[in-house]
Each structure stands twice: as structure tokens, then as C-alpha cells.
């Protein structure tokens, strides 16, 4: 059975920054018949649930991995180290699980794919990937944003 890494919040785990989850019938349908490895990189990186909202500042997840952008909470607290650590743990989990694909939470500074919040905490989106999405892509794992969340 083909394995897929899925953001834990999409599987009903209340691990989002606001202490909620984003499970949906659309996500369940998208992973039906596959072995699922559920994972939350933010929690794995050492962040609490609930936690302050965080956004990418100065670029996207690829830029964070390259050391030219940061992940910052709405209070100004820098949480880049935790996001990078969580991304590496997600990659390890994907490899252990034999995952060649990931279905991740849209817009997230960790899991976002193709569009992420712009760092202004105003809800504006810009092209880019989250830190975990970027690391998975760089390591040959196909990343898709979850449908309808």
C-alpha cells in the first residue's frame, strides 16, 4: 500500500496554532486506501498547542532553509529554529514511513504549498511554500495542499 505523509491537523488531531483541527471528508477521500503517516512539524519542533500565530518573514520556506528568511510569531518572537527542526523531523517520518507524497495544510508557515501568508498578519497570501513543504520537496517528496480546508 502506498504511503502518504499528512498534516496531523488534517487527520483530526487538535494541534493547530489555535488548538483546533481541520479534518474534512475531502481529506479523508484524498487519502482513502493509502497508508497514512500523520505528522505535525510545529509540535515536533517543540512548539506548544495552542501557540501564537506565526508567519514567514523575508521569503518562503525555501528561503528559511537557505538562512535568508525567518519564521516569526505575531509578538515578534523568532521561532525559525523550531520550524526547521520540525521540518527535519517530518522528513525523517516520511522516510521511515516510505512516503513519496505529502498532503499538507494550506497556507501554513510549515505546511503551506504554493501560497503562504505574507508575514504581515493581515491574511494576505503570497506565492511560496512553508518550511516543511520546502524541505520535503527538496528531498524528492511530492507535496500537495489539502483540498477544501
Amino acid at each position: 500500500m502506498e504511503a502518504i505523509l499528512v498534516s496531523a491537523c488534517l487527520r483530526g488531531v487538535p494541534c493547530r496554532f489555535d488548538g483546533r483541527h481541520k479534518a474534512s471528508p475531502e481529506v479523508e477521500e484524498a487519502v482513502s486506501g493509502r497508508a497514512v503517516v500523520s505528522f505535525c512539524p510545529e509540535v515536533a519542533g517543540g512548539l506548544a498547542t495552542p501557540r501564537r500565530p506565526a508567519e514567514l518573514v523575508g521569503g518562503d520556506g525555501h528561503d528559511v532553509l537557505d538562512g535568508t528568511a525567518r519564521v516569526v510569531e505575531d509578538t515578534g518572537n523568532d521561532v525559525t529554529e523550531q520550524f526547521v527542526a520540525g521540518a527535519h523531523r517530518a522528513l525523517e517520518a516520511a522516510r521511515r514511513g516510505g512516503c513519496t507524497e505529502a498532503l499538507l495544510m494550506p497556507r501554513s508557515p510549515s505546511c503551506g504549498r504554493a501560497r503562504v501568508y505574507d508575514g504581515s498578519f493581515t491574511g494576505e497570501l503570497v506565492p511560496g511554500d512553508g518550511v516543511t513543504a520546502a524541505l520535503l520537496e527538496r528531498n524528492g517528496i511530492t507535496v500537495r495542499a489539502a483540498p477544501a480546508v
Side-chain angles (χ1 to χ4, degrees):
M1 180 180 297
E2 189 176 333
I4 185 169
L5 182 79
V6 179
S7 297
C9 62
L10 296 172
R11 299 286 293 167
V13 178
C15 59
R16 285 173 36 88
F17 77 94
D18 59 6
R20 298 180 180 179
H21 67 78
K22 284 286 193 172
S24 72
E26 292 84 2
V27 169
E28 289 308 307
E29 184 178 319
V31 300
S32 178
R34 299 180 76 176
V36 175
V37 176
S38 297
F39 200 84
C40 177
E42 294 174 26
V43 171
L47 297 173
T49 302
R51 57 190 164 273
R52 300 299 312 173
E55 293 188 6
L56 298 158
V57 175
D60 76 345
H62 293 279
D63 299 311
V64 170
L65 294 173
D66 293 340
T68 60
R70 311 296 295 162
V71 186
V72 180
E73 294 177 334
D74 62 350
T75 60
N77 183 45
D78 188 311
V79 289
T80 303
E81 183 179 316
Q82 292 92 330
F83 274 71
V84 171
H88 283 280
R89 290 186 180 115
L91 176 60
E92 292 168 14
R95 285 179 171 158
R96 275 194 315 272
C99 302
T100 58
E101 187 177 0
L103 184 67
L104 303 180
M105 181 66 200
R107 303 173 299 278
S108 159
S110 286
C111 298
R113 174 71 183 103
R115 293 173 54 90
V116 292
Y117 292 110
D118 72 353
S120 68
F121 296 93
T122 61
E124 291 296 316
L125 295 168
V126 294
D129 296 322
V131 179
T132 296
L135 186 65
L136 294 175
E137 287 176 343
R138 286 182 176 193
N139 284 274
I141 295 173
T142 302
V143 177
R144 294 186 295 127
V149 292

